[in-house]
Amino acid sequence: MSEDAEEEDDALVAQIREALRAVIDPELGQNVVDLGLIYAIEVTDGCVASIVMTTTTRGCPATSFLKQAVQDVAWAVPGIEFVDVDLTYEPPWSPSFIAPEIAGLLGAR
Amino acid sequence: MPGASLSRWTLTYFACALLCLVGAEALMVMGFGFPGATIEAPETLILVHLVAIGWLSLLMCGALFQFVPVLVARPLLGDELPPVALAFILTGLVILLSGFAGMTGLVAVPAEAMPLGGLLLLLGFGTAILSLGRTLWAARPLTMPARFVVVGLAALAGTALFGESFALILSGLVGGEAALSLLLNGVPLHALLGLGGWLTFTAMGVSYRLLAMFMLAPETERFSTSVVLATGTLTLMLIAAATPFALAAESGLAGMLLAAAVTGLCALGVYGSDMLALYRQRKRRNIELNAVAAIGAFAALLAACLLLVFLLFSGSLPEHVGALTYLFAFGWLGGLGLAKLYKIVAFLTWLECFAPVLGKRQTPRVQDLVDERHAAPWFGVYYLAVGLGTLTLLVELPLVFRIVAGVQLFATLAIIRHLYRARELLNVPPDLRRGFARPHPFWPQPIARKLP
């Protein structure tokens, strides 16, 4: 793969990460990116996005909505034609994954 | 499939449960049943069953239909069963209470109404056990909280069977020496399996997961929790094993109950230390009202345990069992129920109204649906009233108890008003609410993700 294509994919990853800030976890009221719920974003071939995510707790009734919202938001990023969202609990989410800048807002310690 | 894990009937269960709570509290204000009447009087039986079945059991069933799938991370099996169970339980309860009313002579109801009501309750709770049991069975091996629920459901089955036996004996359909002996001696077993087994043990199991989730406490399985599960299960087995003694009117019954009290208090003691550890290890410094209000319920449980020990040592348990039951049912179980309702109603409403557009437009947080500042004092008033109510029962001031029960009713209505406001999105800032239809108070609609 050419260096240009790699840079384009990286740029799309950054755009998807930014777009995903529109999706909030209803319980904690913060976006899924800063909460550390998005474990990985990868873009290949300039249009295929693969996202690995988790939820704060296994079996949460909002899980399917969060997964669907992440898929929809990533798919709406210009240039992305296919999105695969994989839900994982390995490793299980921990409050230590929360971005330091919002940890204070949640009263997390 | 989006929305598969949302229980559509839970809010309907909650609405019926709250209606029964208000009804029971109104009866207490009117001086109906204990302490105005004796603890065995039909009026007291009406009050007790309105609280135990109408308020607490409907609340627990509704919560479990939503929460067991969360505990086992699988959808509910037999999701067409909750409305069937609700219809059976409500009809059974009304007929059972009518049967008790018939015993007072106030209304002309045939004595057979009681066993018919009991049978419908058996069917209703059996249906609920079938749906929840299948879901739990399919999810083996079970996590620790789910094992508590299994034991709780077994205790529910035992409680309902005891109840139907009593109804058959009271109506005269079943007689004989053993039956009479069971009626005279078995009531504590029925009450302990119901309040201690079904309601308390299930609430304990669920609280491990709910409180850890809402306070961001570590969800690790502690050794102490298995001690609670083992000693609690042993307690309930001792109570169930006392049945032959109750049938034969043998003196061993008191010894079995004393042994159950010792193991039960041990289980509750370790459970208390587990809860304390959960609060201390929480990652979320600023806890929400549901977790703060639950502290009142834990305090009531501790007070009830201490009162039980005092009454056992002073030999005055028979005179004050009414006060103890009141504190246990309204302080511990009812307090925890109201505290958790405050969270669950807002969360289910958020799922119904805002989850379908998540990521597509700005949505409020679950916390935006509630107004904790104005709701918090009412939980304080509620617990204060229950505490004073217990005191007035202990020192035998029935008139003052009625006034305090009035305060309890008022606080309950205020909390229900807050639940209604959360449900109807009345606390959500108007700009975030614009474009969203207000949901039906207790009849949620099926939800589906809105297409882009």
Side-chain angles (χ1 to χ4, degrees):
Chain A
M1 192 163 58
S2 74
E3 222 165 83
D4 280 355
E6 254 183 59
E7 271 176 26
E8 272 175 34
D9 287 349
D10 289 347
L12 280 170
V13 167
Q15 281 182 52
I16 292 172
R17 189 177 301 280
E18 201 47 44
L20 288 182
R21 290 184 199 276
V23 181
I24 62 154
D25 177 278
E27 179 52 31
L28 298 177
Q30 297 294 327
N31 72 73
V32 291
V33 175
D34 288 339
L35 284 173
L37 295 172
I38 304 297
Y39 284 175
I41 305 171
E42 198 184 4
V43 174
T44 48
D45 301 333
C47 63
V48 179
S50 303
I51 300 172
V52 182
M53 67 172 291
T54 192
T55 57
T56 53
T57 183
R58 194 190 277 264
C60 165
T63 301
S64 55
F65 292 103
L66 281 164
K67 191 179 168 195
Q68 189 66 48
V70 164
Q71 184 159 23
D72 291 352
V73 166
W75 189 67
V77 170
I80 295 297
E81 289 171 17
F82 183 80
V83 182
D84 180 46
V85 181
D86 195 15
L87 193 69
T88 183
Y89 291 94
E90 281 305 324
W93 180 83
S94 145
S96 62
F97 297 177
I98 300 176
E101 46 282 18
I102 66 156
L105 289 174
L106 292 172
R109 53 183 178 181
Chain B
M1 179 189 134
S5 49
L6 186 76
S7 160
R8 272 197 68 199
W9 290 92
T10 288
L11 280 165
T12 319
Y13 272 79
F14 289 168
C16 297
L18 287 168
L19 201 64
C20 290
L21 171 63
V22 170
E25 287 176 343
L27 288 179
M28 293 196 301
V29 176
M30 286 154 54
F32 188 86
F34 182 82
T38 62
I39 204 120
E40 305 86 9
E43 290 87 345
T44 307
L45 291 178
I46 292 176
L47 191 58
V48 165
H49 288 85
L50 194 56
V51 172
I53 299 174
W55 161 225
L56 296 170
S57 295
L58 284 180
L59 172 74
M60 187 61 86
C61 283
L64 287 180
F65 285 130
Q66 177 60 55
F67 200 64
V68 163
V70 176
L71 279 184
V72 299
R74 297 170 72 103
L76 185 76
L77 293 176
D79 61 356
E80 68 285 357
L81 295 179
V84 179
L86 181 62
F88 275 134
I89 295 170
L90 283 177
T91 319
L93 179 62
V94 169
I95 295 176
L96 181 74
L97 298 188
S98 309
F100 290 145
M103 282 168 70
T104 66
L106 287 172
V107 286
V109 178
E112 289 78 10
M114 276 183 289
L116 175 64
L119 184 67
L120 289 169
L121 285 166
L122 260 178
L123 283 172
F125 286 124
T127 308
I129 291 171
L130 185 69
S131 172
L132 296 166
R134 274 179 66 200
T135 309
L136 289 160
W137 181 259
R140 287 165 301 139
L142 294 175
T143 56
M144 197 64 80
R147 290 181 200 175
F148 278 78
V149 177
V150 171
V151 178
L153 290 175
L156 169 62
T159 311
L161 284 171
F162 257 114
E164 178 61 354
S165 308
F166 293 146
L168 286 166
I169 300 164
L170 276 172
S171 65
L173 290 174
V174 170
E177 204 176 317
L180 192 66
S181 173
L182 184 72
L183 186 65
L184 288 172
N185 302 303
V187 174
L189 308 183
H190 174 58
L192 286 169
L193 279 181
L195 291 175
W198 155 232
L199 294 164
T200 293
F201 213 58
T202 312
M204 283 161 69
V206 169
S207 67
Y208 275 106
R209 185 75 200 278
L210 266 188
L211 284 166
M213 266 167 62
F214 294 150
M215 297 196 298
L216 300 184
E219 289 190 37
T220 46
E221 295 202 342
R222 300 172 174 81
F223 172 71
S224 51
T225 311
S226 20
V227 173
V228 178
L229 180 68
T231 46
T233 307
L234 176 65
T235 306
L236 297 171
M237 284 165 73
L238 283 170
I239 294 166
T243 311
F245 294 99
L247 276 164
E250 282 176 11
S251 56
L253 180 65
M256 293 288 275
L257 288 180
L258 195 61
V262 172
T263 54
L265 285 169
C266 286
L268 288 172
V270 183
Y271 170 71
S273 75
D274 271 357
M275 287 299 110
L276 205 58
L278 263 184
Y279 275 84
R280 283 192 174 146
Q281 290 168 3
R282 72 180 195 274
K283 297 283 183 191
R284 203 172 190 175
R285 263 196 312 272
N286 318 320
I287 51 175
E288 295 170 352
L289 180 55
N290 75 85
V292 177
I295 295 172
F298 294 126
L301 178 61
L302 176 65
C305 290
L306 294 175
L307 183 60
L308 171 65
V309 173
F310 173 76
L311 295 177
L312 279 174
F313 275 105
S314 64
S316 51
L317 183 59
E319 300 99 273
H320 295 306
V321 72
L324 181 64
T325 310
Y326 167 81
L327 175 62
F328 195 80
F330 286 103
W332 155 236
L333 292 168
L336 189 71
L338 286 171
K340 290 299 141 194
L341 270 183
Y342 193 72
K343 179 75 191 182
I344 301 170
V345 168
F347 192 76
L348 294 184
T349 302
W350 186 94
L351 279 177
E352 185 184 344
C353 296
F354 302 108
V357 294
L358 188 60
K360 293 185 188 307
R361 54 170 288 187
Q362 197 187 357
T363 51
R365 302 166 306 154
V366 176
Q367 274 306 90
D368 293 327
L369 271 65
V370 294
D371 177 8
E372 292 197 343
R373 197 166 62 87
H374 287 103
W378 291 112
F379 281 95
V381 174
Y382 176 85
Y383 284 119
L384 191 66
V386 172
L388 286 174
T390 309
L391 278 179
T392 58
L393 289 177
L394 285 171
V395 298
E396 292 172 26
L397 292 172
L399 271 179
V400 185
F401 173 78
R402 287 174 60 182
I403 296 168
V404 175
V407 177
Q408 186 188 337
L409 173 62
F410 196 73
T412 304
L413 289 171
I415 294 169
I416 292 174
R417 179 177 159 269
H418 275 276
L419 296 175
Y420 175 79
R421 286 185 61 83
R423 180 78 193 137
E424 293 299 286
L425 314 179
L426 296 173
N427 297 320
V428 179
D431 54 324
L432 283 177
R433 198 170 71 198
R434 201 162 293 126
F436 290 103
R438 291 204 329 219
H440 190 278
F442 51 85
W443 199 260
Q445 294 307 300
I447 50 176
R449 175 114 184 128
K450 300 220 175 10
L451 292 170

